Amino acid sequence: MAASISGYTFSSVCFHSANSNSDHEGFLLGEVRQEETVSISDTQISTAELLQVVEIHNHDPCAQLFSFYDYAGKVNEDNLNRILKDRRKSVIGWYRFRRNTQQQMSFREQIIHKQLTQLLGVPDLVFLLFSFISTANSSTHALEYVLFRPNRRYNQRITLTIPNLGNTSQQEYKVSSVPNTSLNYAKVIKEHGAEFFDKDGVMKDIRTIFQVYSALQDKVQAVCGEVEQSERVKEKIQEDVNKLKQQIALRKRKTAEEERRLREAQNAESHPTSEENSEPSETSLLSRVAFHAPSAPERPGTSPNPPSYSDLLSQEDSLLSSSSSPTSAALLPRPQAVGSPGHPTPGPLGMGLDRQAAGQEDDDDDDDDDDDDDEDSSEYENLVSEAAHLPMVSASVLAQGRPAALSPDGDARGSQTS
Amino acid sequence: DWLCSQTLLHAGAEREMKQLIMQRSAVHLESDAFLVCMNHALSTEKEEVMGLCIGEVEINRIVHIHSVIILRRSDKRKDRVEISPEQLSAASTEAERLADMTGKPMRVVGWYHSHPHITVWPSHVDVRTQAMYQMLDQGFVGLIFSCFIEDKNTKTGRVLYTCFQSVQAQKGSEYERVEIPVHVVPRDAIGKVCLESAVELPRILCQEEQDTYRKIHNLSHLDPITKIHNGSNRPNRPIRVLG
């Protein structure tokens, strides 16, 4: 089986994925066709092979997770139809984008895939998994993608090509001709040449083709204008939605505060009247006190002064500056997928620093200040300190089998099969 | 002698200080500009494509890239991605237009190019080219998109991107790469400027094709059959892109 995805669809998936701060998923639209390849061998019996070609033309992104399935992984057909509408018949697969994860289908994804196969009636439904990893200092990022055929044995993987001008264009221009001095040849060419060339000596077809191109370009321009308008409308609606969300949140907070004040007022009133009712209020008061004063008797284990956030930041700062030298910023080793023919990687180092990068990725757009290197959360302090003790993995070690991760001076040629 | 060495030391320290001051702390790339870069990078695996980044620099040395301009490559040799002064000037004009449109102080803040089938790290030529741009604008940043990479063992495809600047340890020494953190900033919708840039790609390809064909067409020694071959070959590319 061979599979291809158009560059525009691929970029569009990257765009939607980059815009989401969680996982992102959607459906792949396109067609599957059979190509017959005939090969002739010495025995003169021609063998025809049927090759299935999957072409992904477009994608239908889901606005949020769990839009057509629940937490148990059960697919809701009504929701599915609502999302897909009339595009349902051109669905040939679905995709999922995740950050810092293994390149392996999760259990839920497998369950969903089985149900989708049945509901959509596509026996060879494919699954495209995108995984995003970054270096510790977020200067280099990698988007990895694997196309699975989960309904086949061993969850077969297929190479996904991206057709482009480089691998589909015809031969280059010829700049020299084979000389021919035959008189007959010259005569025939002169007779029939007029069909190809116009009076200026320019090929007639060129003008026609240029007209086709101009017409297409104008159409694209017009569509661009329409897209632009709809994007502005979408922006406006999103703004309104955000404002409304803020108002709702504000109102909820106000109501919660009022309820709390009412409850407190009621407790204050009822306290001197009955003994039985005082106990729960006392414990609630006590627990509130305990929350504010860590040295309260209920929490003997807590130290009175937990390390301050700035201490953690400065500790992490020195670690980062020592570990990020210009030449050894290799792509971080991935945690090895179980059962996948990957390469052995130092697991803890990879996992820890990968998640650190994820923290930076997700939080970055929220605070537009300059501590990009510092904003890693204190949750990962343990992983960072663990990483500091491990030897820095050099780029060349990772390079084996990973053409993209060579050191700066090397060139890797990992070519796409075409 | 001591004075000389002290002066040199001071000059070195001053240079280092200047480099550190102008070195960007991070690059924020708007997701719609990222979309255009990806589209452009994925348009061909035969050669490197390039473009310029337009945006603004914030007080805290963060470069915010709002849009990109696709450039025509005058020299299509591998690993030669130099921008002509005319292109830079045209890009500056475009930046001014964007500044008027968005009301923000936009200017050319960096460049990007693609590495099809090649590692994402900048080559020596790239680092030197980047250093050259930094002579005009010390805060200039470089982005590289590596694509059409496949790990045959795991059938995993990869697209990578990195951000860098160049530094020189001492006067006369080799330029070295400095990594700059880069983050793609989410956007609710695609901006007008990025849509326009995306549509520019087929137009630029058509222009490139026309120029190439014109040169070929002017070769008078070509046999008519060869001319017919060239003529049928020529104009398909822009149409294919539009398709």
Side-chain angles (χ1 to χ4, degrees):
Chain A
M1 196 197 224
S4 69
I5 181 170
S6 79
Y8 286 92
T9 307
F10 188 92
S11 311
S12 178
V13 172
C14 294
F15 170 70
H16 283 97
S17 306
N19 280 340
S20 82
N21 50 16
S22 64
D23 291 355
H24 170 69
E25 63 197 3
F27 295 94
L28 298 170
L29 314 172
E31 62 170 1
V32 180
R33 49 189 177 80
Q34 310 258 359
E35 265 181 14
E36 202 174 311
T37 52
V38 180
S39 56
I40 300 171
S41 68
D42 285 341
T43 57
Q44 297 267 313
I45 301 166
S46 64
T47 45
E49 263 181 37
L50 272 179
L51 178 70
Q52 262 203 313
V53 178
V54 173
E55 282 179 2
I56 302 167
H57 299 155
N58 212 339
H59 75 115
D60 194 356
C62 293
Q64 56 211 18
L65 299 172
F66 300 100
S67 51
F68 60 95
Y69 57 92
D70 61 12
Y71 286 87
K74 178 136 189 353
V75 174
N76 182 318
E77 195 172 356
D78 293 330
N79 286 348
L80 192 67
N81 288 332
R82 206 166 29 82
I83 293 169
L84 290 173
K85 300 191 201 46
D86 57 352
R87 289 182 295 264
R88 187 181 158 134
K89 51 187 180 318
S90 36
V91 173
I92 51 159
W94 64 301
Y95 69 89
R96 203 117 196 286
F97 167 89
R98 305 198 231 114
R99 292 183 172 93
N100 302 294
T101 61
Q102 297 182 356
Q103 288 219 304
Q104 205 191 355
M105 285 182 81
S106 71
F107 186 58
R108 185 188 278 144
E109 282 160 5
Q110 286 174 21
I111 297 175
I112 293 173
H113 189 87
K114 280 204 177 66
Q115 294 173 74
L116 282 176
T117 304
Q118 227 179 347
L119 288 170
L120 295 168
V122 180
D124 213 351
L125 196 75
V126 296
F127 176 69
L128 180 53
L129 178 60
F130 289 91
S131 174
F132 189 81
I133 53 171
S134 314
T135 51
N137 60 2
S138 297
S139 67
T140 308
H141 308 267
L143 184 76
E144 301 190 338
Y145 51 96
V146 183
L147 187 66
F148 290 97
R149 243 175 139 181
N151 301 334
R152 292 283 161 137
R153 221 187 286 180
Y154 311 124
N155 204 353
Q156 189 190 33
R157 294 171 178 221
I158 322 162
T159 296
L160 183 66
T161 61
I162 304 176
N164 57 86
L165 295 170
N167 66 4
T168 53
S169 66
Q170 297 156 10
Q171 299 160 13
E172 298 301 324
Y173 290 121
K174 285 196 181 321
V175 289
S176 62
S177 314
V178 175
N180 193 319
T181 50
S182 147
L183 280 172
N184 283 327
Y185 173 80
K187 204 164 134 195
V188 170
I189 290 295
K190 202 166 166 196
E191 263 179 55
H192 296 275
E195 287 175 30
F196 289 94
F197 299 97
D198 64 13
K199 52 179 172 50
D200 299 326
V202 176
M203 277 203 59
K204 287 180 189 167
D205 286 349
I206 300 268
R207 295 198 202 274
T208 332
I209 291 175
F210 190 73
Q211 280 169 8
V212 172
Y213 157 75
S214 296
L216 272 173
Q217 183 75 29
D218 291 340
K219 270 270 148 53
V220 165
Q221 204 74 45
V223 168
C224 174
E226 287 171 24
V227 169
E228 209 256 311
Q229 278 179 9
S230 83
E231 289 289 302
R232 298 290 78 78
V233 166
K234 180 182 158 196
E235 247 177 358
K236 180 87 186 25
I237 293 176
Q238 190 66 48
E239 254 180 64
D240 293 341
V241 164
N242 290 343
K243 272 192 206 143
L244 285 169
K245 277 189 181 161
Q246 277 176 4
Q247 284 177 8
I248 292 173
L250 195 64
R251 212 176 285 176
K252 273 191 182 159
R253 264 203 305 268
K254 279 195 184 148
T255 350
E257 263 183 45
E258 276 178 28
E259 279 179 11
R260 194 171 58 83
R261 262 188 243 126
L262 265 169
R263 254 187 281 123
E264 280 178 15
Q266 280 175 0
N267 286 338
E269 274 174 37
S270 63
H271 181 71
T273 52
S274 76
E275 285 296 302
E276 301 92 84
N277 290 340
S278 68
E279 267 188 25
S281 60
E282 259 180 23
T283 50
S284 70
L285 274 172
L286 266 175
S287 63
R288 219 172 288 135
V289 165
F291 180 76
H292 288 299
S295 50
E298 283 118 74
R299 301 229 241 134
T302 322
S303 70
N305 295 312
S308 71
Y309 194 59
S310 54
D311 288 344
L312 284 170
L313 281 182
S314 56
Q315 174 198 41
E316 196 235 73
D317 224 352
S318 58
L319 280 169
L320 263 183
S321 56
S322 63
S323 64
S324 63
S325 52
T327 49
S328 60
L331 269 180
L332 297 170
R334 332 196 69 254
Q336 172 147 15
V338 172
S340 77
H343 300 278
T345 58
L349 170 65
M351 286 298 283
L353 290 172
D354 277 352
R355 289 220 211 92
Q356 181 180 327
Q360 291 178 352
E361 275 290 332
D362 293 340
D363 298 340
D364 189 62
D365 51 297
D366 290 337
D367 35 344
D368 53 341
D369 49 45
D370 63 347
D371 47 345
D372 284 298
D373 293 13
D374 302 340
E375 71 187 14
D376 185 47
S377 71
S378 56
E379 298 171 78
Y380 304 122
E381 59 182 297
N382 294 328
L383 294 164
V384 170
S385 54
E386 184 186 4
H389 294 127
L390 286 164
M392 204 50 211
V393 180
S394 74
S396 52
V397 169
L398 290 171
Q400 299 152 28
R402 292 178 61 91
L406 271 190
S407 66
D409 298 336
D411 269 7
R413 308 264 153 185
S415 62
Q416 200 178 267
T417 51
S418 55
Chain B
D1 273 336
W2 176 84
L3 203 60
C4 280
S5 59
Q6 283 298 91
T7 321
L8 277 169
L9 263 170
H10 277 265
E14 205 184 299
R15 168 201 307 280
E16 218 178 284
M17 182 80 96
K18 262 196 198 145
Q19 281 178 148
L20 272 171
I21 289 171
M22 290 318 293
Q23 200 176 301
R24 299 302 182 201
S25 61
V27 168
H28 289 188
L29 176 63
E30 295 261 321
S31 63
D32 54 354
F34 174 66
L35 170 67
V36 178
C37 292
M38 283 286 282
N39 263 337
H40 194 201
L42 292 174
S43 67
T44 174
E45 65 177 288
K46 269 268 165 66
E47 60 205 21
E48 298 180 1
V49 300
M50 63 183 288
L52 288 171
C53 306
I54 311 259
E56 50 182 339
V57 183
E58 290 162 16
I59 298 269
N60 41 29
R61 289 163 38 222
I62 291 186
V63 178
H64 205 111
I65 299 175
H66 288 271
S67 80
V68 295
I69 296 178
I70 292 175
L71 290 180
R72 287 184 54 187
R73 287 194 52 214
S74 42
D75 185 348
K76 294 211 177 176
R77 277 177 292 171
K78 256 196 156 16
D79 211 24
R80 286 249 183 288
V81 278
E82 287 123 20
I83 308 170
S84 68
E86 295 88 14
Q87 284 177 322
L88 267 175
S89 157
S92 298
T93 315
E94 177 68 15
E96 277 173 26
R97 188 180 75 89
L98 290 180
D100 289 337
M101 210 161 74
T102 57
K104 293 182 185 159
M106 305 278 221
R107 59 183 180 86
V108 179
V109 290
W111 66 305
Y112 72 90
H113 70 280
S114 72
H115 274 188
H117 299 299
I118 306 170
T119 171
V120 70
W121 311 124
S123 62
H124 286 307
V125 175
D126 290 336
V127 174
R128 255 179 269 133
T129 310
Q130 170 66 27
M132 204 180 66
Y133 294 138
Q134 279 177 234
M135 281 183 211
L136 301 170
D137 174 4
Q138 284 184 306
F140 215 65
V141 293
L143 286 169
I144 299 180
F145 289 84
S146 165
C147 38
F148 305 111
I149 307 262
E150 198 206 5
D151 181 349
K152 295 252 173 8
N153 291 334
T154 56
K155 300 254 170 91
T156 304
R158 259 181 219 117
V159 169
L160 301 101
Y161 59 99
T162 187
C163 184
F164 73 106
Q165 284 188 300
S166 297
V167 283
Q168 197 179 29
Q170 288 165 37
K171 201 174 168 69
S173 67
E174 269 293 306
Y175 282 102
E176 283 173 7
R177 170 181 74 111
V178 169
E179 295 175 345
I180 308 289
V182 59
H183 302 272
V184 175
V185 174
R187 258 203 76 150
D188 282 332
I190 307 176
K192 177 175 184 178
V193 177
C194 287
L195 277 170
E196 286 174 355
S197 293
V199 167
E200 265 308 289
L201 179 58
R203 192 175 289 132
I204 285 172
L205 284 172
C206 185
Q207 279 172 4
E208 282 181 351
E209 205 63 50
Q210 276 181 314
D211 286 351
T212 317
Y213 181 73
R214 220 170 274 134
K215 277 188 216 148
I216 298 288
H217 184 65
N218 288 336
L219 295 173
S220 49
H221 65 270
L222 288 180
D223 175 61
I225 297 288
T226 313
K227 282 191 180 171
I228 293 170
H229 163 90
N230 287 341
S232 4
N233 179 25
R234 183 242 145 195
N236 292 327
R237 285 193 349 152
I239 293 183
R240 211 173 282 124
V241 170
L242 284 166

